[in-house]
Amino acid sequence: MRSTTNGAAAPWDAAAVVMIAQELKDLDGPLLPILHAVNDRFGFIDERAVPLIADVLNLTRAEVHGVVSFYHDFRRAPAGRHVIKVCCAEACQAMGCERVVAEVEEELGVALGGTTPDNRVTLEPVYCLGNCALSPAALVDGKLHGRMDGARLLALVRGAGR
Amino acid sequence: MTRVFVPCDSAALSVGAYDVAVAVAAEATARGLDVTMVRNGSRGLFWLEPLVEVETPRGRVGYGPVHAADVPSLFAADFLSGAAHPLRQGVVEAIPYLANQQRLTFARCGIIDAYSFDDYLAHGGLRGLRRALELEPAVIVGAVIDSGLRGRGGAGFPTGIKWRTALQAESAQKYIVCNADEGDSGTYADRMIMEGDPFILIEGMVIAGLAVGATKGFVYIRSEYPHAFRRMRRAIGVARARGLLGADVLGSGRTFELEARLGAGAYICGEETSLLESLEGRRGQIRYKPPLPAISGLFARPTVINNVISLASVPIILDRGAAFYREFGSGRSRGTMPIQLAGNVKRGGIIERAFGLTLGEIVEEFGGGTQSGRPVRCVQVGGPLGAYWPRHLFDVPFDYEAFAERGGMIGHAGVVVFDDTVNLARQARFAFAFCALESCGKCTPCRIGAQRGVEAIDRVIRGDRPAAQIALVRDLCEVMRDGSLCALGGLTPLPVLSAIEHFPEDFEPLRRPVAAQ
């Protein structure tokens, strides 16, 4: 599954990238599954992985780079140790998600889209988590929470450890 | 032995259902009681989640919303026999919100153990597929055409016509693709099916395969739904082990293989051709049509691509017959639609009813007004590309044509309620901003126009020549509508123009003077 915290991310390992690509290359349309697997293992897609994957799939580096850069999920750099995604789509707007974001930004000292200086928390917007009858919604290290407010979300962040 | 149901739908989990399940198990053990816990999906009465149900001779009695801390008091009150408690909601089937529905596609959701194939069979599962196995492909397609089923993903194109085109296309390999990239805010019906009744989707896809001669399917699930993805993968494994999937479907000698694939965070991949590009391993850029996917789709093979709810509605059509399904609905909108009530609403949830309910009935009678207690000002129907509807249009019936006539669309049937604190100029700005963020970049009016739209609305909000800016926005919307290949650029004008038309007061210059230079 997708990486949600970066704490367990593996250090760079070219052989592992090639092995992931080899293992999945016979799927129909293997590139997204490979990129997900690399993103999960390392917490992001290192630029050095691009030519390795391209080589296994017989694609150009540009083709692989184009896919990596198209999708929001594929990180180009590691995230903080905890990732908070706050839903900023309409149903959550109707329930005041902007206030939730503002309170969390203020308390953590980080703007939406950024990572705290101590690399502890990355705060990101997400557009719909499918929890629209229990808005505002947020995903904290991959776990969905409903009926959020700033205080509850901050308590979850504090409870997430260092 | 008493059966207790604690949902494992991700919305229920998001408000503590897992802790409730743990607490129920612990309390039952401590008291030495014989309790069997079933992890069902959600009934879709979200204001009651976590909704714990107990099987009693009178029916399933519900308690909600239950928090883990309430569990000891539930046991103390003898909830296992359905006894009184402040959280008692009565027999769940009799709760008016549910009793006033017509659940066809969601008939099992929230009732059965979502992981149990036997439970699925015990509740009428596979009857549609068994019937389909006796029929010629053209007869299956004919049934879907006759049922009047139209695409539930948003476009409303007749499902059976897509199938007929794919059936008539000659190819050694054809595909069935399920579009589970449910990105519209205010919608969660696809997620609920995948989490609460996944076998119905698999059954629908197998029927589609039989109908058009496809032997391979993919479910493309958005990555924002990690729980649904895990559950779907597990259900596919169970279905394979039980012979619903594989080289010999239910002993018929027919083949159907199925894979779940994860999206990667791109709203545009809900557009069918972008989704196909993504499945093939490319940027999710939309394709020109023609060729239609039914003729040249995934890997350039004939492909049926349908939304989760469309496919999940097929088993009952085959089981009960096209005429049964057609009976529901109004005009050219046949069957039922799972309306998803969301946002600032007191009773948010799934309302599966025949087409024809009015917006007012949905928002006021089912929804009970806003969660905040303030007056309802508007609803947005159909996700980020859907129109904003003022109260004076709440008599519009929920129906593809009735909505289109008044400049909107039902889309995937999400209804997001806003109270009177909403500012529609800001919502119009968001519509453009979202389009700019999620544009695949293929069409200039969408890629560039959306950004220019944000800037124009910003000037309106600042009070910088608002009348001229609004004229510019109208012109821009026309260019986007007519000059974009897909619905993202083509329909972003809907929320923008409906906001301007119905809520002009929000676009007037701020009462405070523009700050001096």
Side-chain angles (χ1 to χ4, degrees):
Chain A
M1 281 310 304
R2 298 164 60 202
S3 83
T4 46
T5 77
N6 203 34
W12 170 247
D13 179 349
V17 173
V18 173
M19 195 153 54
I20 288 169
Q22 289 286 0
E23 261 170 31
L24 298 173
K25 75 174 171 29
D26 295 325
L27 289 174
D28 293 321
L31 185 52
L32 260 69
I34 290 171
L35 293 176
H36 268 302
V38 170
N39 200 55
D40 287 353
R41 170 136 183 184
F42 300 99
F44 73 111
I45 295 174
D46 194 302
E47 223 161 278
R48 290 171 289 184
V50 171
L52 300 176
I53 295 167
D55 189 48
V56 171
L57 298 183
N58 198 24
L59 294 172
T60 65
R61 285 161 60 183
E63 284 168 311
V64 177
H65 173 82
V67 173
V68 173
S69 59
F70 185 84
Y71 296 94
H72 296 311
D73 283 4
F74 300 138
R75 295 186 185 281
R76 316 278 290 281
R81 293 189 295 281
H82 300 286
V83 176
I84 303 170
K85 296 184 183 211
V86 184
C87 180
C88 294
E90 292 90 336
C92 288
Q93 291 168 12
M95 287 299 287
C97 66
E98 281 146 349
R99 272 198 313 280
V100 176
V101 169
E103 285 174 42
V104 174
E105 282 180 330
E106 158 102 33
E107 179 67 25
L108 297 181
V110 62
L112 203 57
T115 300
T116 54
D118 62 359
N119 211 31
R120 182 167 172 267
V121 177
T122 294
L123 181 66
E124 293 176 335
V126 62
Y127 296 92
C128 197
L129 295 166
N131 199 20
C132 323
L134 293 169
S135 295
L139 210 55
V140 178
D141 289 342
K143 190 164 182 276
L144 182 64
H145 297 273
R147 291 266 188 256
M148 269 297 121
D149 57 36
R152 287 192 53 213
L153 188 49
L154 285 165
L156 288 169
V157 175
R158 277 191 295 274
R162 66 169 295 283
Chain B
M1 188 267 285
T2 311
R3 295 213 298 167
V4 176
F5 298 77
V6 185
C8 61
D9 171 279
S10 54
L13 293 170
S14 83
V15 286
Y18 177 77
D19 293 340
V20 171
V22 170
V24 168
E27 194 72 19
T29 306
R31 291 170 179 258
L33 296 168
D34 186 12
V35 168
T36 300
M37 193 159 8
V38 179
R39 305 305 304 274
N40 54 332
S42 174
R43 299 269 195 167
L45 315 179
F46 286 110
W47 75 100
L48 295 178
E49 293 289 3
L51 176 66
V52 175
E53 297 177 43
V54 181
E55 202 166 54
T56 76
R58 283 159 292 158
R60 276 161 64 166
V61 175
Y63 297 83
V66 175
H67 298 286
D70 300 321
V71 169
S73 76
L74 284 170
F75 275 90
D78 192 22
F79 86 119
L80 291 180
S81 65
H85 184 278
L87 296 177
R88 189 179 188 276
Q89 302 293 334
V91 173
V92 176
E93 305 277 345
I95 295 173
Y97 199 93
L98 201 52
N100 290 329
Q101 300 196 26
Q102 293 157 315
R103 290 208 166 177
L104 305 182
T105 308
F106 279 77
R108 272 179 298 265
C109 191
I111 294 177
I112 61 167
D113 176 343
Y115 285 143
S116 166
F117 197 69
D118 292 318
D119 220 7
Y120 182 67
L121 293 177
H123 285 82
L126 299 192
R127 286 205 298 241
L129 174 58
R130 289 189 205 283
R131 180 89 190 98
L133 282 167
E134 298 164 356
L135 301 174
E136 288 298 311
V139 178
I140 304 175
V141 170
V144 176
I145 292 175
D146 292 343
S147 73
L149 177 65
R150 293 165 69 177
R152 300 295 192 236
F157 188 82
T159 304
I161 304 293
K162 271 190 183 178
W163 288 25
R164 188 173 67 193
T165 309
L167 170 63
Q168 289 167 350
E170 302 261 342
S171 175
Q173 177 71 62
K174 298 179 188 179
Y175 295 105
I176 308 297
V177 174
C178 173
N179 183 345
D181 196 62
E182 183 178 51
D184 289 354
S185 177
T187 67
Y188 42 79
D190 297 355
R191 181 186 62 65
M192 285 180 64
I193 285 290
M194 292 189 285
E195 294 176 358
D197 191 11
F199 298 117
I200 198 178
L201 174 58
I202 298 174
E203 183 182 349
M205 291 185 74
V206 177
I207 295 171
L210 295 174
V212 306
T215 53
K216 174 99 202 239
F218 293 91
V219 189
Y220 183 96
I221 303 169
R222 61 198 298 260
S223 61
E224 292 82 352
Y225 286 1
H227 190 63
F229 179 71
R230 284 189 295 265
R231 290 190 69 95
M232 206 62 218
R233 280 247 279 227
R234 185 164 153 185
I236 288 171
V238 172
R240 194 170 289 129
R242 299 295 294 265
L244 171 57
L245 294 171
D248 186 17
V249 172
L250 301 183
S252 66
R254 313 284 288 272
T255 298
F256 196 78
E257 294 290 351
L258 184 55
E259 262 183 63
R261 285 291 176 85
L262 197 58
Y267 177 75
I268 193 63
C269 289
E271 198 283 332
E272 61 181 13
T273 62
S274 292
L275 189 156
L276 296 175
E277 286 288 303
S278 183
L279 260 182
E280 290 184 18
R282 284 193 288 273
R283 296 163 68 87
Q285 281 202 308
I286 71 144
R287 296 176 181 172
Y288 290 100
K289 288 192 277 194
L292 296 169
I295 291 165
S296 176
L298 187 62
F299 303 111
R301 304 293 183 190
T303 302
V304 164
I305 175 163
N306 287 142
N307 166 256
V308 172
I309 301 300
S310 310
L311 288 162
S313 298
V314 166
I316 195 161
I317 291 169
L318 269 292
D319 176 24
R320 306 289 297 271
F324 167 80
Y325 193 78
R326 263 199 95 76
E327 279 293 296
F328 297 88
S330 61
R332 287 172 50 218
S333 303
R334 310 310 312 180
T336 59
M337 188 80 188
I339 295 162
Q340 299 128 82
L341 192 50
N344 194 339
V345 64
K346 195 177 282 172
R347 295 191 293 265
I350 280 269
I351 305 160
E352 183 178 354
R353 274 279 291 247
F355 287 93
L357 275 179
T358 66
L359 272 177
E361 287 169 322
I362 294 166
V363 174
E364 305 292 350
E365 290 173 29
F366 280 93
T370 62
Q371 169 80 18
S372 61
R374 301 182 65 93
V376 174
R377 180 140 188 253
C378 64
V379 294
Q380 185 182 27
V381 182
L385 308 176
Y388 285 95
W389 298 81
R391 292 186 69 122
H392 68 84
L393 289 177
F394 275 18
D395 60 341
V396 179
F398 213 84
D399 167 310
Y400 292 103
E401 275 69 41
F403 265 53
E405 261 169 39
R406 288 175 173 82
M409 59 153 191
I410 63 175
H412 188 45
V415 176
V416 175
V417 182
F418 292 83
D419 72 12
D420 63 349
T421 60
V422 67
N423 177 296
L424 272 298
R426 296 200 58 191
Q427 297 309 119
R429 183 191 190 279
F430 177 78
F432 276 131
F434 185 72
C435 180
L437 180 69
E438 296 296 334
S439 175
C440 80
K442 187 148 181 152
C443 310
T444 309
C446 171
R447 182 184 70 245
I448 308 282
Q451 185 54 41
R452 294 290 97 88
V454 171
E455 293 157 9
I457 300 277
D458 275 342
R459 287 191 288 270
V460 172
I461 291 172
R462 283 203 307 268
D464 176 3
R465 294 165 297 142
Q469 298 304 329
I470 284 176
L472 188 67
V473 166
R474 287 184 192 278
D475 187 47
L476 176 63
C477 282
E478 196 180 314
V479 173
M480 287 176 70
R481 187 192 66 208
D482 297 342
S484 305
L485 282 169
C486 86
L488 181 55
L491 294 180
T492 292
L494 276 190
V496 174
L497 294 177
S498 60
I500 293 173
E501 183 182 356
H502 300 306
F503 305 93
E505 62 277 21
D506 286 12
F507 292 81
E508 280 171 12
L510 292 178
R511 264 161 227 115
R512 62 181 166 75
V514 176
Q517 303 303 311

